[in-house]
Amino acid sequence: GQQVMQIPQYQHVQEGEDFTTYCNSSTTLSNIQWYKQRPGGHPVFLIQLVKSGEVKKQKRLTFQFGEAKKNSSLHITATQTTDVGTYFCAGRSPPGTYKYIFGTGTRLKVLA
Amino acid sequence: KAGVTQTPRYLIKTRGQQVTLSCSPISGHRSVSWYQQTPGQGLQFLFEYFSETQRNKGNFPGRFSGRQFSNSRSEMNVSTLELGDSALYLCASSLDWGFQPQHFGDGTRLSIL
């Protein structure tokens, strides 16, 4: 079945460093969403990307949807301790249906 | 505005029993989705309800079922519990069904002994 892999699985950064997580799907995604889950918390919606090659920014966060709509990335500039958590991408699988498939997640730790 | 409310927060059951979990969506949200989260399998989609109808279903056995009421509240039932059903069950609501931004509850932590 379709898989959505995220790399890296874990990332430790010093506060102030940049961070990027990549989301790769085995098939084309109709659109993609990103969520953040703090330790002990629930996923919180961050953004949705729909168009091929789309780039969206939210303050220090930059989201990108690949041209082939099979991959996406989330980049955080100058990480802060509040960025700690697991970042998930989610896509619609297979295209044309409405079944959610979540990526494997990237757990970010920020060292002060 | 109150968020998504899930009850109970924690539950301990034994193999073979059945369990019902409850979810109250954000006021005005008509779609409710259910997910299972485990360290090994991550977040897996169970099903989505809208207007009391199941709109989508993930790849889980028939032991997992759900329903939605006219006030959009939803329940999920798991029968003949197995050890592997131990997980955090998350409910999420959205305004409409389909691939919409979802608002998650804090989940029900189910432990099977």
Side-chain angles (χ1 to χ4, degrees):
Chain A
Q2 179 175 14
Q3 291 188 323
V4 178
M5 304 298 293
Q6 283 184 250
I7 53 171
Q9 191 175 0
Y10 302 95
Q11 183 83 59
H12 293 185
V13 299
Q14 283 293 136
E15 189 173 21
E17 290 183 337
D18 291 356
F19 159 76
T20 304
T21 173
Y22 299 91
C23 174
N24 299 301
S25 171
S26 55
T27 61
T28 302
L29 300 171
S30 299
N31 41 24
I32 198 162
Q33 294 174 349
W34 284 91
Y35 291 82
K36 175 186 177 182
Q37 185 173 21
R38 292 180 182 271
H42 56 261
V44 174
F45 174 77
L46 294 176
I47 208 159
Q48 177 162 304
L49 304 172
V50 178
K51 299 176 186 174
S52 168
E54 188 172 11
V55 178
K56 285 189 176 180
K57 292 192 176 187
Q58 287 181 350
K59 296 183 181 177
R60 296 178 295 105
L61 277 60
T62 302
F63 303 84
Q64 191 164 2
F65 202 4
E67 292 292 340
K69 300 183 83 173
K70 292 179 73 172
N71 54 68
S72 180
S73 64
L74 157 59
H75 179 82
I76 302 178
T77 304
T79 54
Q80 300 175 357
T81 54
T82 53
D83 295 326
V84 164
T86 301
Y87 292 85
F88 293 97
C89 61
R92 198 165 72 179
S93 165
T97 74
Y98 295 93
K99 296 183 183 182
Y100 274 94
I101 180 165
F102 272 76
T104 47
T106 295
R107 187 179 298 178
L108 173 66
K109 215 169 205 180
V110 180
L111 308 171
Chain B
K1 187 152 76 166
V4 176
T5 304
Q6 290 188 247
T7 57
R9 289 297 310 278
Y10 303 93
L11 209 46
I12 299 175
K13 291 285 186 179
T14 56
R15 279 182 299 174
Q17 287 187 309
Q18 73 165 17
V19 68
T20 299
L21 311 182
S22 180
C23 173
S24 293
I26 291 173
S27 177
H29 284 196
R30 297 171 61 194
S31 173
V32 173
S33 297
W34 289 90
Y35 295 85
Q36 182 193 66
Q37 187 172 34
T38 60
Q41 298 298 318
L43 264 166
Q44 293 188 286
F45 173 72
L46 280 154
F47 27 65
E48 178 179 22
Y49 285 86
F50 179 83
S51 291
E52 303 177 64
T53 301
Q54 187 181 88
R55 300 288 173 157
N56 296 294
K57 190 177 188 301
N59 301 322
F60 278 80
R63 300 186 296 108
F64 292 82
S65 63
R67 59 178 176 168
Q68 186 181 34
F69 303 95
S70 57
N71 61 359
S72 295
R73 191 178 70 84
S74 177
E75 288 182 347
M76 189 190 92
N77 184 273
V78 188
S79 63
T80 320
L81 287 165
E82 300 176 359
L83 291 177
D85 296 333
S86 294
L88 179 67
Y89 289 88
L90 291 162
C91 163
S93 75
S94 55
L95 285 168
D96 201 348
W97 74 285
F99 201 66
Q100 303 290 323
Q102 298 186 97
H103 301 262
F104 284 81
D106 289 330
T108 294
R109 174 75 62 184
L110 175 62
S111 298
I112 311 301
L113 304 178

